Amino acid sequence: MAGRRFRSWLSVRSVAGQVFVLQLVIVLLLGAAATIALVLQVRHDATDEARGRSVAVAEAFANSPGIVQALHSRNPTKVLQPKAEAVRKKSGLDFVVVTTDKGIRLTHPKLNRIGKHYVGNIEPALRGHPTVDTGPGTLGEAMDAVVPIFDSHHKVVGAVGAGITIRKVSGLADRQLPLLVGAVSASLVLATGGTALVSRRLRRQTRGLDPVEMTRMYEHHDAVLHSVREGVLIVGGDGRLVLANDEASRLLDLPPRPEGRLVDDLDLEPHVADVLASGRDVTDEVLVAGDRLLAINNRLTDRDGGPPGSVATLRDSTELRALSGRADVAQKRLKLLYDASVEIGTTLDVARTAQELAQVAVDRFADFVTVDLAEPVARGDEPLAVGGIEMRREAVHGIRPGQGHPFYPVGRVFSFVPTSPQAFGLSGGEPVVEDDLTEAIGWQAQDPEQTAKVIEYGVRSLVTVPLRARGVLLGVVNFWRMKQREPFEEEEVSLAEELAAHAAVCIDNARRYTREHTMAVTLQHSLLPRALPEQNALDVAFRYLPAESGVGGDWFDVIPLPGARVALVVGDVVGHGLHAAATMGRLRTAVHNFSTLDLPPDEILSHLDDLIARIDQDEGPGGPEGEGAGSEGITGATCLYAIYDPVTRRCTMARAGHPPPALVRPDGSVEFLDLPAGPPLGLGGLPFETAEVELAEGSHLVLYTDGLIEDRRREIDTGLEMLRDALSHPGRTPDEICTEVLEALLPSNPSDDIALIAARTQVVGGDRVASWDVPSDPAAVAGVRAEVMRKLAEWGLDEAAFTAELVLSELITNAIRHATGPIRVQLLRDKALICEVSDTSSTSPHLRYAATTDEGGRGSSWSPSSPSAGAPATPRTARSSGRSWRFRESSGA
């Protein structure tokens, strides 16, 4: 912890740290300089001392008594060497050398050097001039003093050289260096300690800030004093003003240089001075100061160990309230526009959209709102001109719902007079404002009696704005205000325009949708069956409900077939709109055409599959219409085709991607028939399969589209179970079944079309059917003809006997002549007498019209295989088991 504080204290980022480092560097530099200077001085003094000592020793020895006599003695070395060494040792020199006048050494610390020439500058001394020099010698680099020796005649008879080596001189200085370094180090430590104390105090005063922070703090302090548009006051613990910025001085009208004065002496309002000097927290307390309303916040400064006192901020709420009032108005208007964008246009219904416009503007913008649209708009048409055209009141809403209003009611049709503000707005395409309706003569001319009621009710002002979208005038919206509110301002007129502009686009979208929806519904209804054909095989009831969001492609059909049989068809084209409705019409027409060929269900579905493939090829991408022809995408459809024979009670069915039919037996049990699930129409590549089921008399066969059982909120399996429960009630008619099924399963907002067929089976009894097998022998025709005549007489159809006898003779003869295999004749007594002659050939018969030269009975013929074959003119169709000829005779049936 202490280490961290020390590192923080020494941080060079702070001012104290930088001052400490700077002072420490200065002390170090001063210590180093002093040390160098002292070392140099010591060495200089030591050199001077060595020089002086060398000269003194040399002169003293040269002038010593007996030196001359020793030089002239027989063995001067013997005399002088001991003396020279004694002097050298006593004086502390490194050498004392005596030479002859020729420069030959007579003494030397090293005996081997005696008798050799003196090394050094001895020439000046031999000429009588003493010298002091530094140079190389026998003992190394040395300081050498050479003094001449004079005899009594002042003649140079020799010289004395005395000196000390440089190494020894440096040693003298080095011995004094530790003391010198110690003294400098002690001075450095003392200086560092003093610097640290100064830095510590500086750090406390600057709170460890670095220069950048101190500069920034000064800038902030300057900004608070002069630039901040909020008053700032700092009051000390003794109640004296420490700081007041320019804004505080302006708001409180403080005297010049108020710092240091007591708050009570600043001539402030008493309640303002009490708050500033109270030493308590205050939050947004509004006080009167002169002609201003000041919002004051006061906070104590000694909470976190700071100095005693408080900081107060002041705001001029007089200006802020004016600004906030304008901002509040703008915010409310933006909120109104946002709510309008969300709440207007939630549906594609013209009347509902107009009502939403009226509801969103009432109370927040106007007291009453009325919306008037051109009469064709509600039908989805586009008005050619609004001026002078009849208008329809589509919406009225006010602040007093349920208590009545003085305006035209919804649904009222009227026209604006040319002097009315609505007429002016529609003709000019601009909003019109009436500040006082009591003086609006042109508006009162619209309907004097009705306008008098409006004025009497208390309505005061009006803004009428045309509803224009995509260049088309659709109508007008009127915003009314009561006399208790201020009239509309200019900014509010622009708001009314924005509301009207958004609502106009939504109304025009609803109008366009209404037009397209009406066209699609009209097309769809024209393509669906309007009434059921007459037949005795099934008792049929149906329901068809279009989706709320658009027209779909669901369809159904009941098609009578030869032999009292009936085909039930239900299908669903994928998608919605005109394209789906048109495709449905083409498929329904194709089903009718294929049914006339008396084909089995699987073949009919195959033909429909080929048809849709051709539709996709012609209208899809790359079709004959070129690029963009396939904008509707690939066509898809499902279909269920069932043929019921009331004679055999058998029902043959096939489906292409369609939900299975439901069979309700007479006891009320329900079964979803397990038919082979073929692919949807248009995919191709896979065959369709048929299934045959025998139905008891009184059974109900229920066919439907997926819109009945499938919904956004439930799965198909759940819908099938709900349908099973709704059907599990015996003893009901087909119409009752349809009604109760829709009550149980119909969604609240169906998103898809619903087609439902309920068919109760009926049976042609054996007493109304007769059949015979005919051998392939023309002689057998007479016998069969006689049996037929007896059966017709038994049924009381004698009037049809002659015609039936003639036709059957030719049909049977024609079959014996052209057919192969067994031949069968069947009479069926239904609404008409049906005579059938069938064989086992797979060739499809086709109708031929006889020429005037042809023979064959009644002027027309049927040919089973070749153009030359003649047959009576009777309707016939081919079954899968072979060919059959049918003759229908309505008389007497």
Side-chain angles (χ1 to χ4, degrees), residues 537-815:
L538 296 170
D539 182 12
V540 181
F542 68 91
R543 296 288 189 276
Y544 181 82
L545 297 177
E548 288 189 357
S549 59
V551 175
D554 293 13
W555 91 92
F556 66 92
D557 237 324
V558 179
I559 305 174
L561 298 177
R565 295 172 302 140
V566 176
L568 297 177
V569 188
V570 65
D572 182 7
V573 176
V574 176
H576 294 83
L578 290 174
H579 179 74
T583 303
M584 176 268 291
R586 298 169 72 173
L587 292 180
R588 181 170 178 258
T589 301
V591 169
H592 273 272
N593 293 334
F594 295 147
S595 297
T596 59
L597 301 177
D598 202 10
L599 299 176
D602 57 337
E603 294 188 21
I604 288 183
L605 293 181
S606 298
H607 285 298
L608 292 178
D609 188 59
D610 294 339
L611 173 63
I612 290 184
R614 287 194 297 272
I615 292 175
D616 289 339
Q617 183 179 1
D618 295 340
E619 300 181 0
E625 296 182 9
E627 183 178 357
S631 59
E632 296 292 342
I634 301 300
T635 303
T638 64
C639 183
L640 174 63
Y641 193 93
I643 299 176
Y644 174 69
D645 190 341
V647 177
T648 62
R649 294 187 292 108
R650 291 188 172 276
C651 183
T652 305
M653 294 173 282
R655 63 176 176 140
H658 202 81
L663 174 62
V664 184
R665 293 187 174 84
D667 60 356
S669 60
V670 180
E671 176 188 0
F672 291 101
L673 299 179
D674 187 16
L675 302 183
L681 299 176
L683 297 183
L686 295 176
F688 299 98
E689 300 181 22
T690 61
E692 190 174 72
V693 60
E694 186 173 335
L695 305 179
E697 185 177 3
S699 300
H700 288 86
L701 193 62
V702 180
L703 283 66
Y704 52 89
T705 57
D706 59 357
L708 178 67
I709 60 173
E710 188 176 9
D711 188 57
R712 298 187 185 98
R713 293 175 294 275
R714 67 180 180 223
E715 300 293 336
I716 294 181
D717 294 340
T718 304
L720 290 175
E721 290 302 319
M722 293 175 64
L723 178 59
R724 183 192 299 273
D725 295 339
L727 295 175
S728 300
H729 301 282
R732 294 182 300 184
T733 64
D735 192 73
E736 292 173 344
I737 289 177
C738 290
T739 301
E740 295 183 13
V741 165
L742 290 181
E743 289 179 354
L745 278 80
L746 184 64
S748 57
N749 298 307
S751 58
D752 196 4
D753 295 5
I754 297 176
L756 175 65
I757 299 178
R760 181 171 57 192
T761 60
Q762 300 182 12
V763 177
V764 177
D767 57 339
R768 293 191 296 168
V769 180
S771 59
W772 299 270
D773 292 328
V774 180
S776 297
D777 184 1
V781 176
V784 174
R785 188 169 56 240
E787 293 292 334
V788 170
M789 293 301 103
R790 283 195 293 271
K791 179 57 70 174
L792 292 178
E794 181 182 338
W795 287 345
L797 299 177
D798 296 330
E799 296 180 358
F802 175 75
T803 303
E805 179 181 11
L806 177 62
V807 170
L808 282 174
S809 295
E810 296 192 8
L811 285 176
I812 296 172
T813 303
N814 196 38

Side-chain angles (χ1 to χ4, degrees), residues 58-402:
E59 288 181 350
F61 197 84
N63 296 314
S64 64
I67 187 69
V68 176
Q69 290 81 359
L71 288 174
H72 294 295
S73 67
R74 182 176 293 181
N75 189 359
T77 299
K78 183 178 180 181
V79 177
L80 296 177
Q81 177 68 17
K83 295 180 178 181
E85 285 299 307
V87 172
R88 179 182 68 80
K89 293 178 181 180
K90 288 181 179 182
S91 63
L93 298 179
D94 288 324
F95 62 90
V96 176
V97 178
V98 181
T99 67
T100 66
D101 56 355
K102 302 299 183 181
I104 302 300
R105 298 190 191 99
L106 298 176
T107 64
H108 198 280
K110 294 181 179 181
L111 299 178
N112 59 353
R113 300 290 182 179
I114 297 173
K116 296 181 179 181
H117 282 282
Y118 188 86
V119 177
N121 189 11
I122 197 173
E123 296 299 329
L126 294 179
R127 290 194 297 268
H129 302 288
T131 61
V132 179
D133 198 4
T134 301
T138 57
L139 299 179
E141 189 78 15
M143 183 174 292
D144 187 7
V146 183
V147 177
I149 300 174
F150 296 98
D151 60 7
S152 58
H153 300 290
H154 200 70
K155 178 182 177 183
V156 177
V157 294
V160 178
I164 188 170
T165 61
I166 298 300
R167 181 174 63 254
K168 193 170 184 179
V169 174
S170 299
L172 294 175
D174 292 340
R175 284 193 296 270
Q176 297 182 11
L177 187 60
L179 179 60
L180 178 62
V181 173
V184 172
S185 299
S187 301
L188 181 62
V189 170
L190 291 176
T192 302
T195 302
L197 291 177
V198 173
S199 300
R200 183 176 182 183
R201 182 173 181 81
L202 181 61
R203 181 176 180 274
R204 287 181 178 178
Q205 292 179 348
T206 60
R207 297 184 181 274
L209 297 176
D210 60 25
V212 176
E213 292 174 335
M214 293 190 67
T215 303
R216 188 182 300 116
M217 179 177 291
Y218 174 78
E219 293 174 350
H220 294 171
H221 180 268
D222 186 76
V224 170
L225 285 178
H226 306 297
S227 302
V228 172
R229 302 310 298 167
E230 184 170 308
V232 178
L233 292 173
I234 301 179
V235 180
D238 56 356
R240 295 183 181 275
L241 185 64
V242 177
L243 176 69
N245 68 346
D246 294 348
E247 183 67 8
S249 299
R250 183 182 72 86
L251 295 177
L252 297 177
D253 195 18
L254 296 177
R257 300 185 180 277
E259 289 81 2
R261 300 175 60 178
L262 292 173
V263 174
D264 296 334
D265 297 339
L266 296 176
D267 296 331
L268 301 177
E269 300 284 347
H271 49 277
V272 176
D274 180 65
V275 170
L276 296 178
S278 63
R280 58 185 176 88
D281 288 344
V282 174
T283 301
D284 288 336
E285 184 171 336
V286 180
L287 301 176
V288 178
D291 57 350
R292 302 178 185 275
L293 289 176
L294 300 181
I296 300 179
N297 291 273
N298 196 50
R299 293 292 182 271
L300 301 181
T301 58
D302 58 355
R303 291 182 175 179
D304 300 324
S310 60
V311 176
T313 59
L314 304 92
R315 295 194 309 273
D316 190 352
S317 61
T318 306
E319 300 174 0
L320 292 177
R321 285 191 176 183
L323 292 174
S324 63
R326 291 193 292 270
D328 185 59
V329 172
Q331 183 179 9
K332 289 181 179 180
R333 291 177 180 175
L334 289 175
K335 182 67 166 57
L336 176 59
L337 291 176
Y338 172 77
D339 292 342
S341 66
V342 174
E343 299 176 12
I344 299 177
T346 58
T347 64
L348 290 174
D349 181 78
V350 174
R352 176 60 184 168
T353 305
Q355 185 65 25
E356 291 170 347
L357 168 60
Q359 290 175 350
V360 77
V362 165
D363 193 25
R364 291 188 289 178
F365 181 69
D367 295 324
F368 289 92
V369 177
T370 59
V371 181
D372 306 320
L373 300 179
E375 183 68 14
V377 173
R379 302 190 302 268
D381 298 331
E382 183 174 314
L384 299 178
V386 178
I389 198 171
E390 287 188 336
M391 308 293 289
R392 176 184 175 87
R393 177 63 49 86
E394 288 292 342
V396 179
H397 192 68
I399 57 176
R400 304 170 184 172

Side-chain angles (χ1 to χ4, degrees), residues 795-797 799-800 829 889-893:
W795 287 345
L797 299 177
E799 296 180 358
R829 183 184 178 188
E889 177 61 56
S890 60
S891 60

